[in-house]
Amino acid sequence: MAAIKFRLKSQVIALARAYRQLVRSIRPRVTQRQSLQPASPSLQALTAAALALPGLMMTSPNVAAQDNEATFQYGYYDEGKRRLFGNNNKLDPIHVDTLNTTGSINLFDRVKFGFNYVQDTWSGATPVATATRGFMSNLVSGASSHVNTGYNYVDKNFNRLEEVYNETTGEVRYVKNKQDQQLVHMMTSASPETRKQADFKLGYEWNEAALDLGGGVSVEPDYNSSFVNSNGRWDFNQKLTTLNLGLSYTNSSVNAQRDPNASGYVDYSSQSAPGTGLKDPITGERQDWSTHLGLSQVLNKNAVLDGSFSYTRSTGFLENPYKTSTFIFKDPVALDYLGVPGVYNAEIINVLENRPNVRNQFTWDMRYTQYVNPLNAALHFDYRFFHDNWGINAHTFDAAWDQPVGHGWTVTPRVRYYSQDAADFYQPIFYFNEVKPTRKFGRIDFNKLPISNFSSDQRLSGYGALSGGVTVSKQFAKGISVNAGFEYYTHQGALKLGGGGEGNYADFNYYMINAALNVNLSALSFAGSGDSSHSEHHDHSQHSSHAPAGVMFDHMIGKAGGIMTGYRYMYGRQAGDMLHGVNPVSDKTIANNACGKGKCELAPAYMDMHMHMLDLMYAPTDWLNLMLMPQFMDMDMSLRTLKGVSPVDEHHHDTGGVGDTGMYALFKIFNNPGHHLHTALGFSAPTGDVGIMLRPGGHHGGPGGFIHYGMQLGSGTWDFKPSITYTGQQNKWSWGAQLNGTLRMEDRNASGFAFGDIFQSTAWGSYNLLNWLSTSVRAVYTEQGKVRGGFNGIHPTDGSVDFAKNYGGHYWDVGFGINASIPSGELAGNRFSFEWLEPVEDKVNGYQLEREGALSATWSYAF
């Protein structure tokens, strides 16, 4: 926020113009908070009121106000447990890990390219239905209770009556228990799932106007979207007034799997065509059109006012396929024949929700930003009103205070209040004073119900929410900034404006934390261009002295006080034949031998691993570098049924989140002209989760428990990671070699196992095609030991990946790479490298899927 300083000696109009541009860059991007799509719980958890639809988050295009920059951000969401009033619930609440990478680059003088990548992985329990406590059943130890469908006795007000029989007198009484009338959520959980969204935009700017065109995709196991959008900006009134217009279109498809555990108490017929099996997925299509009109006005040198209007029309499948409603049908005739007047027979069923197939949404925003000169601070105040044809009216009040505190530090406290009315078709439970209308096979006849739309999704209820948080940021020299934030949120029916909110059974809290690194590439280049030491600082950062992209700890910063920042992406894939040693094996051999004393039913069809790493390096002296390397992991695996065994459901598993964190020290041994030798000593801290669980029943009806060893996010042990690296260079040729290893410092992790130790040796050669471009060839040998121990809890035992003996081995690879170091222009000094690693031979322990290859890509900048 230090960039918001105004210099009073400047002209008033010039100050106002500059301030407006600065406000654009610092103002939090405002997106629609209302329900736009039936997304998966990962998106549900991260929005205050509803579902954020990819592609509809339109912001004002501002090509000129943005420099070449890259931002890496991590966020963690953790939800508190729900109030279940004594009902069984040992399921963990929802938590979400999110990785967000954005960047913008000037392609030409007036053309800018921007990209954005978001990945979030969620797991945990979420409400899917609501019923009174008396209508809930505790059947599975360690799992949540569910709605006890079937017949129950009730009184005229639908209160459950408990049948009490006196063996002495033979009298039967029907008793109402007050505690049974308490509303409570039915909770359910799922195995981890991952959503990935990638989008881009291409912008062009004129002197007083700008235009962006963009698009992207969002992919989940059960929900896919593709979208296009455009945004335009026009400045007039001496650039004191700005008009913005945005348009977008999104096409989405739902492919939701039915809950295998719910087949006994959920009636799926509302989403089942005649002849459709209950195991078939629930499918649907939807379209969303959206437009946004905004006006920004500089009021004076210290204040800016913004207003906007947005309209979104959604059509098609707007339901959440995992939300159900509880129907209670009371026979209007009392059971007087039993001699007990006032007792009624009621049938309880759970059905999938049914929302209207059209939704029109209107949003009005007003934002005011005031610079407070005596405190060198800025006040932001936002108000938003939302209305739709579903009957929801919502108000949002948002205030933030940006306060620079010196030395590049800024503290930003923030408070937000939100309130909404319930949708017209929302009820926690639906009561019918009639016998259930039926059609063929006893299924409910929805055409004969007195209502056509219904939902018990609590996000459509009336409630209020209050949240507060703080962000702390630090601006370093030469365009590097970091920030960290925390926000706490409470959702309560009692906080609704005017009262009448949902009961306290629906109250819950959550918190979010995030951390981000922003690198202004233009500022780095500008700072370096005027510094005589800049070229010295990059002496050992040129492409010719760097190893291929897949080699880590390959170079050092050669000057005391130097800093390097970088990003590293690694992708690996296993697919093809199953191997035993070096030989392909048949499904029959796998079935009889890969699962210990039992018989295997499943084997992996493929497994993909994605790893995102930040490289942060500092040189306190010219012979010592300190390095921090946080990681974010993402893995997915598909399992297939082995031939010759009883067919079972095939499965797809996703995991993702923070991996282990590396901390290293690099020591220079010698650095002569043409030759360099250094060693790295470090540790890997077990920050990656090794207790990721499958949901009970999700593994073709299995008990759930630990997901496969290779799908956990870290090692779970403290690991020692030494390496020694030699590099040489002469004319256009360079070469190098490295030995490295991973030594597990503990015999067991918290989940009962330890991965095997790793030893790796590699050597490479490189040739300069140009003074800024080189290619490389590399040979790699890797040896990894077997997994020691085993899971200390329940886990599947029907697939080869479930057994510790089927991990590790000996691997030979050859790599082909390309390295580029930008020599001039705004991106001067930035280094990019890519390498493809092709497997030559696998000699695996036990039974494993062969490898198809690995890709490494890096970016780095030292200054």
Side-chain angles (χ1 to χ4, degrees), residues 648-685:
V648 296
D649 294 338
E650 299 183 0
H651 300 277
H652 183 89
H653 299 319
D654 292 291
T655 59
V658 174
D660 291 343
T661 301
M663 301 168 288
Y664 308 95
L666 283 69
F667 302 90
K668 183 195 303 180
I669 299 176
F670 68 81
N671 187 28
N672 296 329
H675 301 279
H676 175 86
L677 182 68
H678 69 266
T679 185
L681 301 175
F683 297 91
S684 176

Side-chain angles (χ1 to χ4, degrees), residues 12 36 221 282 288 329 345 684 771 804 816:
V12 172
L36 301 181
I282 299 169
D288 298 87
F329 294 93
N345 198 22
S684 176
N771 63 350
F816 305 92

